[in-house]
Short mmCIF file of all heavy atoms in Angstrom, two decimals:
data_model
loop_
_atom_site.label_atom_id
_atom_site.label_comp_id
_atom_site.label_asym_id
_atom_site.label_seq_id
_atom_site.Cartn_x
_atom_site.Cartn_y
_atom_site.Cartn_z
N CYS M 1 0.88 -1.18 -0.03
CA CYS M 1 -0.09 -0.03 -0.01
C CYS M 1 0.86 1.27 0.00
O CYS M 1 1.53 1.53 1.00
CB CYS M 1 -0.90 0.00 1.22
SG CYS M 1 -2.22 -1.30 1.07
N LYS M 2 1.00 1.94 -1.19
CA LYS M 2 1.76 3.07 -1.27
C LYS M 2 0.95 4.37 -1.06
O LYS M 2 -0.18 4.42 -1.36
CB LYS M 2 2.31 3.13 -2.74
CG LYS M 2 3.29 1.96 -3.08
CD LYS M 2 4.60 1.93 -2.28
CE LYS M 2 5.38 0.88 -2.80
NZ LYS M 2 6.73 0.85 -2.11
N GLU M 3 1.62 5.39 -0.49
CA GLU M 3 1.06 6.70 -0.28
C GLU M 3 0.45 7.23 -1.59
O GLU M 3 1.12 7.17 -2.58
CB GLU M 3 1.90 7.70 0.31
CG GLU M 3 2.44 7.28 1.70
CD GLU M 3 3.39 8.29 2.28
OE1 GLU M 3 3.74 9.36 1.63
OE2 GLU M 3 3.79 8.20 3.41
N ALA M 4 -0.75 7.75 -1.55
CA ALA M 4 -1.40 8.35 -2.72
C ALA M 4 -2.05 9.58 -2.21
O ALA M 4 -3.29 9.88 -2.39
CB ALA M 4 -2.41 7.34 -3.29
N PHE M 5 -1.36 10.54 -1.67
CA PHE M 5 -1.91 11.79 -1.25
C PHE M 5 -0.87 12.92 -1.15
O PHE M 5 0.33 12.54 -1.17
CB PHE M 5 -2.61 11.61 0.18
CG PHE M 5 -1.67 11.12 1.29
CD1 PHE M 5 -1.00 12.06 2.13
CD2 PHE M 5 -1.53 9.83 1.56
CE1 PHE M 5 -0.17 11.70 2.99
CE2 PHE M 5 -0.53 9.49 2.58
CZ PHE M 5 0.02 10.41 3.30
N CYS M 6 -1.29 14.00 -1.02
CA CYS M 6 -0.28 15.20 -0.86
C CYS M 6 -0.75 15.83 0.55
O CYS M 6 -1.90 15.89 0.86
CB CYS M 6 -0.48 16.24 -1.87
SG CYS M 6 0.04 15.67 -3.56
N VAL M 7 0.30 16.37 1.32
CA VAL M 7 0.01 17.07 2.53
C VAL M 7 0.08 18.46 2.10
O VAL M 7 1.00 19.09 1.68
CB VAL M 7 1.00 16.76 3.58
CG1 VAL M 7 0.69 17.51 4.86
CG2 VAL M 7 1.01 15.22 3.98
N LEU M 8 -0.97 19.23 2.29
CA LEU M 8 -1.14 20.66 1.98
C LEU M 8 -1.12 21.54 3.26
O LEU M 8 -1.92 21.46 3.99
CB LEU M 8 -2.36 20.82 1.16
CG LEU M 8 -2.84 22.29 0.85
CD1 LEU M 8 -1.79 22.90 -0.12
CD2 LEU M 8 -4.08 22.33 0.10
N ASP M 9 -0.14 22.37 3.35
CA ASP M 9 -0.08 23.30 4.49
C ASP M 9 -0.48 24.59 4.01
O ASP M 9 0.17 25.45 3.35
CB ASP M 9 1.43 23.44 4.95
CG ASP M 9 1.56 24.18 6.24
OD1 ASP M 9 0.53 24.88 6.62
OD2 ASP M 9 2.67 24.33 6.87
N LEU M 10 -1.83 25.03 4.27
CA LEU M 10 -2.43 26.19 3.80
C LEU M 10 -1.75 27.51 4.27
O LEU M 10 -1.80 28.49 3.70
CB LEU M 10 -3.98 26.24 4.19
CG LEU M 10 -4.83 25.19 3.44
CD1 LEU M 10 -6.17 25.21 3.97
CD2 LEU M 10 -4.70 25.24 1.94
N SER M 11 -1.08 27.39 5.36
CA SER M 11 -0.41 28.64 5.92
C SER M 11 0.69 29.07 5.05
O SER M 11 0.93 30.30 5.04
CB SER M 11 0.16 28.32 7.37
OG SER M 11 1.14 27.38 7.24
N LEU M 12 1.24 28.21 4.15
CA LEU M 12 2.23 28.60 3.24
C LEU M 12 1.70 29.38 2.18
O LEU M 12 2.44 30.06 1.30
CB LEU M 12 2.95 27.31 2.70
CG LEU M 12 3.66 26.41 3.74
CD1 LEU M 12 4.34 25.24 3.09
CD2 LEU M 12 4.73 27.28 4.45
N TYR M 13 0.36 29.44 1.95
CA TYR M 13 -0.20 30.15 0.82
C TYR M 13 -1.06 31.39 1.22
O TYR M 13 -1.84 31.86 0.41
CB TYR M 13 -1.15 29.12 0.06
CG TYR M 13 -0.44 27.86 -0.44
CD1 TYR M 13 -0.30 26.73 0.25
CD2 TYR M 13 0.27 27.98 -1.64
CE1 TYR M 13 0.44 25.69 -0.15
CE2 TYR M 13 0.93 26.76 -2.18
CZ TYR M 13 0.94 25.75 -1.40
OH TYR M 13 1.64 24.63 -1.77
N SER M 14 -0.97 31.77 2.56
CA SER M 14 -1.70 32.85 3.04
C SER M 14 -1.52 34.15 2.33
O SER M 14 -2.32 34.99 2.15
CB SER M 14 -1.47 32.99 4.63
OG SER M 14 -0.12 33.20 4.84
N VAL M 15 -0.18 34.27 1.80
CA VAL M 15 0.09 35.49 1.00
C VAL M 15 -0.58 35.60 -0.32
O VAL M 15 -0.61 36.61 -0.87
CB VAL M 15 1.66 35.46 0.80
CG1 VAL M 15 2.44 35.56 2.03
CG2 VAL M 15 2.12 34.37 0.05
N ASN M 16 -1.20 34.48 -0.69
CA ASN M 16 -1.89 34.49 -1.87
C ASN M 16 -3.35 34.82 -1.69
O ASN M 16 -4.19 34.92 -2.64
CB ASN M 16 -1.90 33.15 -2.61
CG ASN M 16 -0.51 32.64 -2.92
OD1 ASN M 16 0.32 33.52 -3.29
ND2 ASN M 16 -0.17 31.39 -2.89
N GLY M 17 -3.73 35.17 -0.42
CA GLY M 17 -5.13 35.67 -0.14
C GLY M 17 -6.19 34.53 0.36
O GLY M 17 -7.32 34.74 0.41
N LEU M 18 -5.49 33.33 0.79
CA LEU M 18 -6.39 32.28 1.28
C LEU M 18 -6.92 32.75 2.70
O LEU M 18 -6.21 33.26 3.55
CB LEU M 18 -5.69 31.02 1.43
CG LEU M 18 -5.38 30.25 0.09
CD1 LEU M 18 -4.68 28.90 0.33
CD2 LEU M 18 -6.72 30.01 -0.60
N GLN M 19 -8.16 32.35 3.07
CA GLN M 19 -8.74 32.54 4.34
C GLN M 19 -8.32 31.54 5.36
O GLN M 19 -8.07 31.93 6.56
CB GLN M 19 -10.37 32.59 4.30
CG GLN M 19 -10.94 33.68 3.42
CD GLN M 19 -12.37 33.59 3.52
OE1 GLN M 19 -13.02 32.70 4.22
NE2 GLN M 19 -13.09 34.58 2.98
N GLU M 20 -8.15 30.32 4.91
CA GLU M 20 -7.82 29.22 5.83
C GLU M 20 -6.44 29.02 6.08
O GLU M 20 -5.55 29.30 5.13
CB GLU M 20 -8.45 27.97 5.43
CG GLU M 20 -9.98 28.01 5.23
CD GLU M 20 -10.62 26.76 4.71
OE1 GLU M 20 -10.27 25.68 5.28
OE2 GLU M 20 -11.40 26.83 3.71
N THR M 21 -6.06 28.43 7.25
CA THR M 21 -4.70 27.90 7.50
C THR M 21 -4.80 26.53 8.09
O THR M 21 -5.84 25.88 8.08
CB THR M 21 -3.91 28.77 8.57
OG1 THR M 21 -4.79 28.78 9.75
CG2 THR M 21 -3.88 30.21 8.05
N GLY M 22 -3.69 25.88 8.34
CA GLY M 22 -3.70 24.51 8.79
C GLY M 22 -3.32 23.51 7.75
O GLY M 22 -3.15 23.93 6.59
N LYS M 23 -3.30 22.29 8.06
CA LYS M 23 -2.97 21.26 7.12
C LYS M 23 -4.15 20.50 6.59
O LYS M 23 -5.09 20.28 7.36
CB LYS M 23 -1.92 20.27 7.66
CG LYS M 23 -0.60 20.75 7.95
CD LYS M 23 0.42 19.71 8.59
CE LYS M 23 1.85 20.31 8.73
NZ LYS M 23 2.79 19.27 9.19
N GLN M 24 -4.09 20.22 5.38
CA GLN M 24 -5.21 19.34 4.56
C GLN M 24 -4.51 18.20 3.95
O GLN M 24 -3.32 18.26 3.43
CB GLN M 24 -5.93 20.29 3.72
CG GLN M 24 -6.69 21.44 4.29
CD GLN M 24 -8.06 20.92 4.89
OE1 GLN M 24 -8.41 19.93 4.49
NE2 GLN M 24 -8.52 21.74 5.74
N PHE M 25 -5.26 17.09 3.67
CA PHE M 25 -4.81 16.07 2.94
C PHE M 25 -5.63 15.95 1.65
O PHE M 25 -6.87 16.01 1.61
CB PHE M 25 -4.92 14.67 3.72
CG PHE M 25 -4.03 14.51 4.84
CD1 PHE M 25 -4.43 15.05 6.04
CD2 PHE M 25 -2.78 13.96 4.71
CE1 PHE M 25 -3.48 15.01 7.22
CE2 PHE M 25 -1.91 13.83 5.80
CZ PHE M 25 -2.27 14.33 7.04
N VAL M 26 -4.96 15.87 0.47
CA VAL M 26 -5.55 15.82 -0.82
C VAL M 26 -5.16 14.50 -1.46
O VAL M 26 -3.91 14.19 -1.66
CB VAL M 26 -5.05 16.99 -1.71
CG1 VAL M 26 -5.84 16.98 -2.96
CG2 VAL M 26 -5.28 18.31 -0.98
N ARG M 27 -6.20 13.69 -1.89
CA ARG M 27 -6.01 12.40 -2.47
C ARG M 27 -5.27 12.63 -3.81
O ARG M 27 -5.45 13.59 -4.57
CB ARG M 27 -7.20 11.66 -2.68
CG ARG M 27 -7.97 11.30 -1.37
CD ARG M 27 -9.25 10.54 -1.85
NE ARG M 27 -10.05 10.32 -0.62
CZ ARG M 27 -10.19 9.25 0.05
NH1 ARG M 27 -9.38 8.24 -0.27
NH2 ARG M 27 -10.93 9.10 1.08
N GLU M 28 -4.57 11.60 -4.31
CA GLU M 28 -3.92 11.55 -5.62
C GLU M 28 -5.03 11.89 -6.76
O GLU M 28 -6.06 11.03 -6.70
CB GLU M 28 -3.23 10.24 -5.89
CG GLU M 28 -2.50 10.14 -7.22
CD GLU M 28 -1.32 10.97 -7.33
OE1 GLU M 28 -0.77 11.45 -6.30
OE2 GLU M 28 -0.96 11.20 -8.49
N GLY M 29 -4.84 12.82 -7.54
CA GLY M 29 -5.75 13.09 -8.61
C GLY M 29 -6.94 13.90 -8.18
O GLY M 29 -7.79 14.23 -9.04
N GLU M 30 -7.08 14.19 -6.91
CA GLU M 30 -8.26 14.97 -6.40
C GLU M 30 -7.99 16.54 -6.42
O GLU M 30 -6.66 16.96 -6.34
CB GLU M 30 -8.39 14.53 -4.97
CG GLU M 30 -9.64 15.35 -4.30
CD GLU M 30 -9.77 14.92 -2.81
OE1 GLU M 30 -8.89 14.49 -2.23
OE2 GLU M 30 -10.95 15.03 -2.23
N THR M 31 -8.89 17.35 -6.58
CA THR M 31 -8.82 18.81 -6.62
C THR M 31 -9.75 19.35 -5.51
O THR M 31 -10.81 18.91 -5.33
CB THR M 31 -9.20 19.41 -7.94
OG1 THR M 31 -8.31 19.03 -8.89
CG2 THR M 31 -9.16 20.91 -7.87
N LYS M 32 -9.11 20.12 -4.43
CA LYS M 32 -9.86 20.77 -3.42
C LYS M 32 -9.81 22.20 -3.62
O LYS M 32 -8.91 22.75 -4.16
CB LYS M 32 -9.32 20.39 -2.09
CG LYS M 32 -9.57 18.95 -1.60
CD LYS M 32 -9.30 18.74 -0.10
CE LYS M 32 -9.72 17.49 0.41
NZ LYS M 32 -9.49 17.19 1.80
N GLU M 33 -10.87 22.90 -3.14
CA GLU M 33 -11.12 24.34 -3.35
C GLU M 33 -11.20 24.97 -2.10
O GLU M 33 -12.01 24.53 -1.23
CB GLU M 33 -12.45 24.60 -4.30
CG GLU M 33 -12.55 25.88 -4.69
CD GLU M 33 -13.59 26.02 -5.83
OE1 GLU M 33 -13.50 25.13 -6.75
OE2 GLU M 33 -14.48 26.88 -5.74
N PHE M 34 -10.48 26.15 -1.90
CA PHE M 34 -10.52 26.83 -0.56
C PHE M 34 -10.83 28.28 -0.84
O PHE M 34 -10.33 28.91 -1.82
CB PHE M 34 -9.15 26.69 0.08
CG PHE M 34 -8.78 25.27 0.44
CD1 PHE M 34 -8.05 24.50 -0.41
CD2 PHE M 34 -9.24 24.67 1.48
CE1 PHE M 34 -7.76 23.23 -0.11
CE2 PHE M 34 -8.94 23.36 1.97
CZ PHE M 34 -8.20 22.60 1.03
N ALA M 35 -11.54 28.94 0.08
CA ALA M 35 -12.01 30.27 -0.10
C ALA M 35 -10.90 31.24 0.05
O ALA M 35 -9.95 31.04 0.92
CB ALA M 35 -13.11 30.62 0.96
N CYS M 36 -10.87 32.32 -0.63
CA CYS M 36 -9.96 33.45 -0.62
C CYS M 36 -10.61 34.62 0.19
O CYS M 36 -11.85 34.67 0.41
CB CYS M 36 -9.56 33.95 -1.94
SG CYS M 36 -8.77 32.63 -2.87
N ASN M 37 -9.75 35.63 0.53
CA ASN M 37 -10.26 36.76 1.36
C ASN M 37 -11.24 37.54 0.48
O ASN M 37 -12.18 38.18 0.88
CB ASN M 37 -9.12 37.62 1.71
CG ASN M 37 -8.30 36.93 2.79
OD1 ASN M 37 -8.81 36.25 3.60
ND2 ASN M 37 -6.97 37.13 2.70
N LEU M 38 -11.09 37.57 -0.86
CA LEU M 38 -11.91 38.30 -1.75
C LEU M 38 -13.20 37.58 -2.01
O LEU M 38 -13.12 36.39 -2.25
CB LEU M 38 -11.21 38.49 -3.14
CG LEU M 38 -11.96 39.55 -4.07
CD1 LEU M 38 -12.01 40.95 -3.46
CD2 LEU M 38 -11.18 39.63 -5.41
N ARG M 39 -14.27 38.12 -1.72
CA ARG M 39 -15.65 37.47 -1.70
C ARG M 39 -15.94 36.76 -3.06
O ARG M 39 -15.61 37.25 -4.04
CB ARG M 39 -16.82 38.42 -1.48
CG ARG M 39 -18.08 37.84 -1.28
CD ARG M 39 -19.16 38.85 -0.72
NE ARG M 39 -20.42 38.21 -0.75
CZ ARG M 39 -21.42 38.15 -1.71
NH1 ARG M 39 -20.95 38.81 -2.83
NH2 ARG M 39 -22.54 37.69 -1.57
N LEU M 40 -16.34 35.47 -2.94
CA LEU M 40 -16.68 34.67 -4.09
C LEU M 40 -15.45 34.16 -4.90
O LEU M 40 -15.60 33.59 -6.03
CB LEU M 40 -17.74 35.33 -4.99
CG LEU M 40 -19.12 35.71 -4.38
CD1 LEU M 40 -19.99 36.36 -5.47
CD2 LEU M 40 -19.78 34.49 -3.78
N TYR M 41 -14.26 34.40 -4.40
CA TYR M 41 -13.07 34.03 -5.07
C TYR M 41 -12.47 32.72 -4.25
O TYR M 41 -12.65 32.70 -3.13
CB TYR M 41 -11.94 35.11 -5.17
CG TYR M 41 -12.23 36.07 -6.33
CD1 TYR M 41 -13.44 36.69 -6.51
CD2 TYR M 41 -11.06 36.20 -7.23
CE1 TYR M 41 -13.47 37.60 -7.57
CE2 TYR M 41 -11.22 37.11 -8.31
CZ TYR M 41 -12.55 37.77 -8.55
OH TYR M 41 -12.71 38.57 -9.48
N THR M 42 -11.98 31.77 -5.07
CA THR M 42 -11.39 30.59 -4.38
C THR M 42 -10.07 30.24 -5.13
O THR M 42 -9.83 30.73 -6.26
CB THR M 42 -12.45 29.44 -4.55
OG1 THR M 42 -12.66 29.16 -5.90
CG2 THR M 42 -13.73 29.62 -3.85
N SER M 43 -9.39 29.37 -4.52
CA SER M 43 -8.07 28.83 -5.05
C SER M 43 -8.27 27.27 -5.08
O SER M 43 -8.69 26.73 -4.07
CB SER M 43 -6.80 29.36 -4.24
OG SER M 43 -5.68 28.71 -4.85
N ARG M 44 -7.79 26.67 -6.22
CA ARG M 44 -7.90 25.27 -6.34
C ARG M 44 -6.55 24.50 -6.18
O ARG M 44 -5.60 25.03 -6.91
CB ARG M 44 -8.56 24.90 -7.68
CG ARG M 44 -10.04 25.32 -7.66
CD ARG M 44 -10.74 25.00 -9.01
NE ARG M 44 -12.22 25.34 -9.01
CZ ARG M 44 -12.88 25.11 -10.11
NH1 ARG M 44 -12.38 24.49 -11.18
NH2 ARG M 44 -14.13 25.51 -9.96
N PHE M 45 -6.53 23.44 -5.42
CA PHE M 45 -5.25 22.68 -5.26
C PHE M 45 -5.47 21.39 -5.78
O PHE M 45 -6.44 20.63 -5.42
CB PHE M 45 -4.83 22.76 -3.74
CG PHE M 45 -4.44 24.06 -3.29
CD1 PHE M 45 -5.36 25.10 -2.93
CD2 PHE M 45 -3.17 24.34 -3.10
CE1 PHE M 45 -5.11 26.31 -2.52
CE2 PHE M 45 -2.71 25.67 -2.55
CZ PHE M 45 -3.78 26.61 -2.27
N THR M 46 -4.57 20.81 -6.57
CA THR M 46 -4.71 19.45 -7.14
C THR M 46 -3.32 18.71 -6.78
O THR M 46 -2.33 19.20 -6.80
CB THR M 46 -4.74 19.50 -8.67
OG1 THR M 46 -5.88 20.32 -8.98
CG2 THR M 46 -4.85 18.19 -9.27
N CYS M 47 -3.67 17.44 -6.45
CA CYS M 47 -2.52 16.38 -6.14
C CYS M 47 -2.21 15.63 -7.36
O CYS M 47 -3.11 14.81 -7.69
CB CYS M 47 -2.77 15.63 -4.80
SG CYS M 47 -1.43 14.41 -4.45
N THR M 48 -1.08 15.78 -8.01
CA THR M 48 -0.60 14.89 -9.04
C THR M 48 0.78 14.29 -8.79
O THR M 48 1.69 15.08 -8.61
CB THR M 48 -0.65 15.69 -10.38
OG1 THR M 48 -1.89 16.35 -10.58
CG2 THR M 48 -0.37 14.74 -11.54
#
């Protein structure tokens, strides 16, 4: 059983305008969306 995920530290992307901090796990091939400070704007993260 091999690892098939990425560890995402959202605090490293706060300068890009993300609202959230902390660590997230993203599955291989999965895309997760997180809210930005600007209303109705989001940033998408993909694990490949």
